[in-house]
Amino acid sequence: MNPTKRLLVISLVLAAVNGCAMQRYRRAPISPSETASRLESRNLQGAGLRVFWEKNLGHPPSSWPLKSWDLGSLTLAAFYFSPEMDIARAQASAANAAVITAGARPNPTLSLKPGIPSPYLFDLSFAMPIQTAGKRGYQILEAKSLSEAARFSLASTAWKVRSSVRAALVNYLVAIRSADQLRSQESVLSDRVQLLQKRLDVGEISRPEVDLARIDLANTRLAVLSAATQISRDRSLLAAAIGIPVSALNGVEFSWPSFDSPPNPDSLSRQQIQREAVLNRLDVRGALATYAAAEASLQLEIARQYPDIQIGPGYTYEEGNSFFTLGLSTTLPIFNRNQGPIAQAEARRKEAAAKFLAAQARVIAESETASALYSGAWKELTEAERVLELYGSKVQLAENTFKAGESGPLPVNSELLGSALAASAKLAALSRAQAALGSLEDAIERPLEPGDILPLSPDSPALKNHAKEEKR
């Protein structure tokens, strides 16, 4: 075999061997009807959710399905089902893949120039690209920093999901209690109308007084109907926050032992809250990773002032003679030295630095505002509880007086009505306090109540990819 054919065969063999490692395209079609069916079949009893629950908590549940779901378990379910989490996981995976791209070494080139039509002319050259000035290292550093920023973005998405579940659960529990209290008020007002009607029948009071009581009763009954609608709405919002159909909540019981007793703001140091906001907020840490990526990008553009080189041997066959050469090529930086990309990279680094400082300033302001609002809401709740206790004492006194025959049933009814209204005021104050506590937790992105999930970390198992039961 002559040298020309030998080199040609070697080149083809190398190409074939390299082709064996090629990845093949795999179709992944989406069927809207199938995806809709899987979404509709989601529930809180699946084996996939149980495995996910055990993996994150480190121990199996005492029973499955769970007898009652608290905020922590509902949050884990939301991490499992939430479409927003799937999007963030995919984005983090793409950022991780970019690290592989950045670390890939440039492939060598093989040039084959057979003589046409003469078989006695043949040229073969091989060139190995060499990156200079540490460009590959800067590319990897930039990609790793962006990957780190994507991981913090994933964790931030997880916190937003948790925050949505918490707010929806608070509203749902408040709506249920509000409906119960309205039904209690309806019962008291119904008794009041009957008592006043009896007094009207004997001529002790005028009709406007009875009519006013009837109007209050009608308005309360209307509020009961509205409360039922509110329960259905908040139930749907809770299901949406978790990522399941509302039918999946049928028969599910919820528990929140500390719901009625949010922590005293005096136990939450404002300085500590502010410090945790600055150091723990995931968006701040993500902004710092983005700045590191901008720094690496600037270093890369500066390194690109120095051209890469290509070096390699060459072979030429001509009229029965073989010639071997050693080639060296590079780009001559004559007309520009990458000034434009360097200036752009410097501007991006300044922008990243400004965004980092803006993020820190924002979270400090948010933490201070949230601390003040929670302190005020907690004081309102404390006062509402005190008023409700006073009404409890007044109801007891009125009942004792009635039992002693010193008064009629109407004063007791009036005190019961006042107590019911005070209970509604206390529930409204509790709702505001829980909402303010949620805002305070959002300001530092860390739970403040005992028994809640641990502070989220980009390395938390709950944030990593997992195979869902409905995808099997």
Side-chain angles (χ1 to χ4, degrees):
M1 182 182 293
N2 61 43
T4 302
K5 293 183 178 179
R6 185 181 297 112
L7 289 173
L8 181 59
V9 170
I10 293 173
S11 300
L12 293 175
V13 170
L14 289 174
V17 171
N18 188 50
C20 293
M22 294 290 186
Q23 296 187 24
R24 298 184 180 277
Y25 167 73
R26 296 181 180 178
R27 294 181 70 251
I30 295 178
S31 171
S33 60
E34 291 181 4
T35 55
S37 177
R38 287 198 295 267
L39 289 172
E40 293 171 355
S41 64
R42 287 179 172 181
N43 57 71
L44 296 178
Q45 294 84 36
L49 177 59
R50 175 177 180 173
V51 172
F52 183 73
W53 195 91
E54 293 179 7
K55 182 178 179 181
N56 283 275
L57 297 185
H59 59 83
S62 57
S63 63
W64 191 266
L66 297 180
K67 294 181 179 179
S68 65
W69 291 77
D70 59 12
L71 177 57
S73 54
L74 288 174
T75 298
L76 286 178
F79 289 167
Y80 182 77
F81 288 118
S82 173
E84 287 77 11
M85 290 295 298
D86 289 337
I87 294 173
R89 288 188 183 101
Q91 292 172 341
S93 297
N96 290 335
V99 177
I100 301 175
T101 302
R105 296 183 182 276
N107 288 318
T109 59
L110 180 67
S111 176
L112 179 65
K113 299 177 182 178
I116 299 176
S118 172
Y120 302 105
L121 295 177
F122 180 81
D123 184 75
L124 180 68
S125 61
F126 178 85
M128 176 67 75
I130 300 176
Q131 291 179 301
T132 62
K135 297 185 185 71
R136 180 169 174 270
Y138 295 135
Q139 288 175 180
I140 295 175
L141 180 59
E142 179 184 11
K144 285 184 175 180
S145 297
L146 290 175
S147 176
E148 185 76 2
R151 290 169 62 239
F152 282 119
S153 178
L154 170 59
S156 181
T157 298
W159 180 264
K160 290 182 176 66
V161 169
R162 184 262 183 196
S163 180
S164 297
V165 172
R166 186 190 189 281
L169 182 58
V170 167
N171 292 336
Y172 180 61
L173 294 178
V174 168
I176 292 176
R177 293 192 182 187
S178 179
D180 291 339
Q181 289 183 353
L182 286 170
R183 283 190 288 269
S184 177
Q185 291 180 28
E186 179 186 8
S187 177
V188 173
L189 285 170
S190 179
D191 292 341
R192 185 174 186 81
V193 169
Q194 294 179 14
L195 292 172
L196 291 176
Q197 182 64 46
K198 291 179 180 179
R199 296 188 66 181
L200 175 64
D201 293 341
V202 298
E204 295 182 359
I205 59 174
S206 61
R207 177 166 295 278
E209 190 172 349
V210 179
D211 291 341
L212 183 60
R214 292 185 183 278
I215 292 174
D216 291 339
L217 176 59
N219 288 334
T220 302
R221 286 173 174 169
L222 182 62
V224 169
L225 296 176
S226 178
T229 302
Q230 185 67 34
I231 290 176
S232 298
R233 175 181 178 275
D234 290 337
R235 184 181 179 87
S236 298
L237 292 176
L238 177 58
I242 300 171
I244 57 177
V246 68
S247 59
L249 295 180
N250 292 338
V252 175
E253 295 183 2
F254 303 99
S255 64
W256 194 329
S258 61
F259 186 77
D260 290 291
S261 54
N264 190 324
D266 293 338
S267 65
L268 309 174
S269 168
R270 289 200 176 189
Q271 291 76 14
Q272 183 65 22
I273 289 291
Q274 180 175 312
R275 178 176 176 80
E276 290 193 12
V278 172
L279 299 180
N280 188 66
R281 275 282 290 258
L282 296 164
D283 51 355
V284 173
R285 296 159 72 183
L288 185 60
T290 302
Y291 176 79
E295 180 81 7
S297 177
L298 176 57
Q299 291 174 297
L300 175 61
E301 296 300 339
I302 291 176
R304 282 175 176 165
Q305 294 178 105
Y306 305 95
D308 297 334
I309 61 176
Q310 294 82 36
I311 187 171
Y315 170 80
T316 302
Y317 176 81
E318 182 177 359
E319 301 293 339
N321 298 313
S322 297
F323 303 93
F324 293 91
T325 60
L326 181 64
L328 178 67
S329 64
T330 188
T331 301
L332 297 178
I334 297 176
F335 298 112
N336 76 82
R337 286 188 173 272
N338 210 39
Q339 298 95 326
I342 291 175
Q344 289 179 306
E346 286 182 333
R348 287 194 295 269
R349 184 177 66 170
K350 290 181 180 179
E351 179 185 5
K355 286 183 177 180
F356 174 74
L357 292 176
Q360 280 194 321
R362 183 179 65 254
V363 301
I364 290 174
E366 288 178 1
S367 65
E368 291 177 343
T369 301
S371 293
L373 290 176
Y374 178 61
S375 179
W378 190 86
K379 291 178 180 178
E380 289 181 21
L381 174 60
T382 302
E383 183 62 22
E385 290 175 342
R386 190 185 68 83
V387 172
L388 181 58
E389 290 177 358
L390 291 176
Y391 266 103
S393 299
K394 293 181 68 177
V395 169
Q396 186 65 44
L397 179 61
E399 289 178 345
N400 292 338
T401 304
F402 173 67
K403 291 178 181 179
E406 299 177 3
S407 67
L410 190 58
V412 177
N413 181 269
S414 298
E415 299 300 343
L416 287 173
L417 180 59
S419 179
L421 294 176
S424 295
K426 186 222 170 183
L427 180 61
L430 176 61
S431 176
R432 289 191 294 271
Q434 284 290 355
L437 180 60
S439 297
L440 183 57
E441 290 181 338
D442 290 342
I444 61 176
E445 294 186 341
R446 185 178 71 81
L448 293 173
E449 293 181 277
D452 207 338
I453 60 172
L454 296 176
L456 283 173
S457 164
D459 299 319
S460 171
L463 307 187
K464 297 179 180 178
N465 287 322
H466 58 281
K468 292 184 180 176
E469 180 184 7
E470 67 269 20
K471 290 184 179 180
R472 295 177 180 174

